[in-house]
């Protein structure tokens, strides 16, 4: 599944962190947004921890 598909159904009141190769590369916290160019990236896993979503992208 692509990141853009997941973002379209996520709860916007939760913080989200986008991980790539062990590092957070983007975050959403009602002020910051996820860069549009990441929408086509494939997602490997989504985890919910401490009321936050952690989205792990597949390596390119």
């Amino acid at each position: 599944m692509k990141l853009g598909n997941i973002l379209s159904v996520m709860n916007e009141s939760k913080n989200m962190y986008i991980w790539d190769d062990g590092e957070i590369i983007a975050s959403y916290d009602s002020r910051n947004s996820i860069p549009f160019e990441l929408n086509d990236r494939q997602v490997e896993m989504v985890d919910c921890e401490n009321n936050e979503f952690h989205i792990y992208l597949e390596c390119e």
Side-chain angles (χ1 to χ4, degrees):
M1 180 176 284
K2 291 189 178 189
L3 179 60
N5 298 108
I6 290 176
L7 294 177
S8 69
V9 297
M10 296 295 276
N11 184 338
E12 292 184 7
S13 67
K14 309 272 190 214
N15 291 343
M16 287 181 255
Y17 299 93
I18 310 302
W19 292 79
D20 187 25
D21 200 24
E23 295 183 42
I24 296 174
I25 61 167
S27 64
Y28 175 83
D29 62 4
S30 299
R31 289 168 287 186
N32 298 319
S33 61
I34 306 296
F36 179 77
E37 51 271 2
L38 294 176
N39 283 349
D40 285 332
R41 293 282 305 274
Q42 288 292 325
V43 171
E44 180 179 333
M45 180 177 72
V46 177
D47 189 21
C48 185
E49 181 180 306
N50 298 327
N51 210 24
E52 303 169 336
F53 288 104
H54 295 265
I55 302 172
Y56 299 87
L57 302 177
E58 289 184 356
C59 294
E60 291 192 313

